[in-house]
């Protein structure tokens, strides 16, 4: 017996590849489809609408197909209200709860579509019946009797359309591409223009730097960008801050002199000496106030009131007093940053960039720079439509970006 359901797709579904993906999902998973209505947008600002019947030989075959279609923006033609079930206890969600994507999402509640606030992947949707609002919660934040969305009825996912140069402003060039090995001046200029446009619109720029930024000699230029107001938040690990402060105290990064590339005697101990000095001072801010730290990225963050999150790792030495060693608290601190971010620069740090990326909605413009093309590809494969990857040495990229931004 054949089971069928009618679904709809709407938006820029042709040029963004959504329609092609939907057809592929159905056929690859053993289903068939019949297009009932297909209205193609003929102008840049017009959307396309597709209504089709999806069929399979059993409900067991059809449901996985519908799930995958749903994740790519398809909705049931005649939706019903989302199903809500109370959480049985703190940190426990009902079985079959809906796990979110990072795309903009609506739910149908009491006959009205409402937007899900603070969208993030792999979270639960909690509905407040008093305010008729919906928001996401990570599982560790779920409270007993929270009304949790279960199943996939009454949920509408809206993958962002691919931006066009002429209609999407400064983000038009960000289309999930990965640049060549050497960063072109034109690409860096476009990134600089995007940063300036973001600041002009009072947007917030989040920078996610790795220790390689300091080790490659780009720390001075990143410090200048912080000083000149092109960085609003920093999300990093203990290692980045240690390298940065070590550079200021000893002129080295992991024991290597950044200028001469020499390895001074006992240089390999400089990072642990650095941590010891900051612990003795009390914090990075205390060390700045005591004039122990006199320059560098962290110095500029303190003197310019730029908030930062240093998330700990099992690999950390020390760590610094400012480093958040509780994983859940670190995640929540990063989450607060990503909810405020209007543009994110990920600079040569795979693990930390993935952590930040997992908290970002797919609509947040993102620039990822790394010498390893696999890192760039992995991050862009999250599905952000406003993203660009640059495969290059971050020690080359940041100085050129600083020149483009500061007019040097």
């Amino acid at each position: 017996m054949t089971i069928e359901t009618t679904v709809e797709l709407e938006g820029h579904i042709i040029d963004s590849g959504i329609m092609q993906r939907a057809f592929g999902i159905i056929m690859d998973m053993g289903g068939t489809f019949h297009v009932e209505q297909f209205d193609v947008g003929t102008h840049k600002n017009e959307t396309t609408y597709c209504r089709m019947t999806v069929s399979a030989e059993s409900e067991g075959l059809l449901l996985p197909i519908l799930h995958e279609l749903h994740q790519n923006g398809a909705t049931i033609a005649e939706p019903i209200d989302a199903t809500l079930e109370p959480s049985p206890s703190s940190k426990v969600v009902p079985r079959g709860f809906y796990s979110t994507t990072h795309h903009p999402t609506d739910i149908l509640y009491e006959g009205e579509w409402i937007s899900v606030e603070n969208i993030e992947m792999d979270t639960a949707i909690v509905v407040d019946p008093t305010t008729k609002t919906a928001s996401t919660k990570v599982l560790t934040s779920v409270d007993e009797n929270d009304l949790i969305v279960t199943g996939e009825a009454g949920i509408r996912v809206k993958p962002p359309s691919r931006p066009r140069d002429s209609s999407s402003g400064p983000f038009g060039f960000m289309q999930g591409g990965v640049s060549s090995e050497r960063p072109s001046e034109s690409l860096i200029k476009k990134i600089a223009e995007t940063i300036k446009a973001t600041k002009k619109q009072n947007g917030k720029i989040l920078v996610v730097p790795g220790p390689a930024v300091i080790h490659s000699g780009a720390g001075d230029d990143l410090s200048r960008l912080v000083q000149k107001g092109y960085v609003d938040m920093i999300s990093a690990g203990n290692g980045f801050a240690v390298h940065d402060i070590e550079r200021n105290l000893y002129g080295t990064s992991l024991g290597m002199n950044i200028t001469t590339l020499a390895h001074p005697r006992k240089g390999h101990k400089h990072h642990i000496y650095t941590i010891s000095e900051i612990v003795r001072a009390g914090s990075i801010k205390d060390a700045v106030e005591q004039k122990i730290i006199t320059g560098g990225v962290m110095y500029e963050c303190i003197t310019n009131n730029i908030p930062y999150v240093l998330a700990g790792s099992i690999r950390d030495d020390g760590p610094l007093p400012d480093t958040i060693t509780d994983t859940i608290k670190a995640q929540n601190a990063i989450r607060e940053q990503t909810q405020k971010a209007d543009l994110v620069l990920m600079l040569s740090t795979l693990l930390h960039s993935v952590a930040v990326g997992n908290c970002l909605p797919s609509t947040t413009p993102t620039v990822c720079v790394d010498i390893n093309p696999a890192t760039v590809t992995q991050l862009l494969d999250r599905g952000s439509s406003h993203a660009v990857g640059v495969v290059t040495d971050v020690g080359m990229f940041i100085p050129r970006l600083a020149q483009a931004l500061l007019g040097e």
Side-chain angles (χ1 to χ4, degrees):
M1 182 177 68
T2 300
I3 307 295
E4 62 182 35
T5 299
T6 302
V7 300
E8 297 173 317
L9 288 164
E10 188 169 11
H12 296 291
I13 59 176
I14 297 177
D15 54 350
S16 62
I18 293 175
M19 188 178 71
Q20 179 182 356
R21 243 181 353 257
F23 290 163
I25 287 169
I26 297 169
M27 292 184 289
D28 291 345
M29 297 183 69
T32 58
F33 63 89
H34 172 68
V35 176
E36 299 178 357
Q37 184 177 347
F38 188 38
D39 301 326
V40 180
T42 57
H43 299 285
K44 290 182 178 180
N45 295 325
E46 289 185 352
T47 59
T48 296
Y49 172 82
C50 177
R51 178 186 175 100
M52 62 181 170
T53 300
V54 182
S55 306
E57 294 181 357
S58 67
E59 186 176 13
L61 285 174
L62 182 61
L63 290 180
I65 295 173
L66 294 178
H67 170 78
E68 292 299 324
L69 290 175
H70 174 267
Q71 301 293 294
N72 284 275
T75 57
I76 303 298
E78 297 179 1
I80 59 175
D81 275 4
T83 304
L84 306 179
E85 292 186 30
S87 173
S89 61
S90 176
K91 301 181 182 180
V92 178
V93 291
R95 287 189 173 90
F97 80 100
Y98 177 76
S99 180
T100 58
T101 70
H102 62 319
H103 297 311
T105 301
D106 301 331
I107 67 163
L108 191 61
Y109 179 67
E110 294 186 348
E112 295 183 6
W113 288 104
I114 58 175
S115 297
V116 178
E117 300 172 2
N118 300 328
I119 193 65
E120 178 185 337
M121 65 172 62
D122 303 328
T123 60
I125 298 176
V126 179
V127 175
D128 185 332
T130 303
T131 59
K132 291 187 176 181
T133 58
S135 60
T136 59
K137 275 191 177 184
V138 293
L139 301 192
T140 54
S141 298
V142 169
D143 297 316
E144 184 176 2
N145 292 322
D146 273 347
L147 289 179
I148 308 292
V149 174
T150 60
E152 294 183 349
I155 302 171
R156 183 170 62 189
V157 178
K158 299 180 289 186
S161 300
R162 180 172 297 172
R164 296 180 174 87
D165 288 339
S166 60
S167 61
S168 51
F171 306 124
F173 77 102
M174 292 182 165
Q175 299 184 21
V178 178
S179 82
S180 59
E181 290 292 333
R182 291 176 177 265
S184 67
E185 296 300 329
S186 60
L187 177 60
I188 292 177
K189 182 180 178 181
K190 288 179 180 178
I191 294 173
E193 290 171 351
T194 301
I195 292 173
K196 289 180 179 179
T198 302
K199 295 299 298 179
K200 188 175 182 180
Q201 298 168 6
N202 296 316
K204 300 291 185 182
I205 298 173
L206 170 61
V207 174
V208 187
V213 170
I214 308 301
H215 204 59
S216 65
D220 290 343
D221 289 292
L222 182 57
S223 297
R224 290 194 297 147
L225 293 180
V226 175
Q227 184 185 61
K228 298 298 183 180
Y230 287 109
V231 177
D232 297 289
M233 300 172 283
I234 281 184
S235 181
N238 180 72
F240 169 80
V242 172
H243 279 44
D244 174 64
I245 299 170
E246 178 192 340
R247 168 78 195 287
N248 179 248
L249 297 184
Y250 300 101
T252 60
S253 174
L254 271 184
M256 183 188 76
N257 186 294
I258 298 298
T259 303
T260 67
L261 304 183
H263 289 77
R265 184 172 177 271
K266 293 187 178 181
H268 63 287
K269 297 182 179 182
H270 285 174
H271 76 287
I272 203 69
Y273 289 167
T274 296
I275 294 170
S276 176
E277 289 301 311
I278 306 307
V279 171
R280 183 177 292 109
S283 69
I284 296 175
K285 182 178 181 180
D286 291 334
V288 170
E289 292 175 348
Q290 295 170 31
K291 301 188 185 307
I292 296 171
I293 304 174
T294 58
V297 179
M298 301 311 298
Y299 172 86
E300 295 297 344
C301 285
I302 295 297
T303 56
N304 292 282
N305 295 315
I306 301 301
Y308 58 85
V309 171
L310 302 180
S313 163
I314 195 66
R315 304 165 297 162
D316 288 337
D317 290 319
L320 293 167
D322 301 62
T323 300
I324 304 173
T325 56
D326 184 310
T327 301
I328 301 302
K329 290 181 179 179
Q331 286 181 357
N332 289 336
I334 291 172
R335 194 166 281 114
E336 289 183 14
Q337 289 184 317
T338 57
Q339 290 170 0
K340 300 174 184 176
D342 297 292
L343 175 65
V344 180
L345 303 182
M346 298 178 173
L347 305 174
S348 196
T349 171
L350 172 59
L351 298 180
H352 214 82
S353 293
V354 169
V356 172
N358 286 345
C359 297
L360 284 173
S362 62
T363 51
T364 303
T366 303
V367 176
C368 176
V369 181
D370 203 285
I371 195 67
N372 185 352
T375 297
V376 176
T377 302
Q378 180 175 342
L379 288 165
L380 297 192
D381 279 349
R382 292 178 56 256
S384 176
S385 65
H386 296 93
V388 64
V390 184
V391 180
T392 191
D393 177 9
V394 74
M396 296 171 59
F397 176 83
I398 296 178
R400 293 189 185 185
L401 179 64
Q403 290 174 2
L405 285 170
L406 304 177
E408 299 174 349

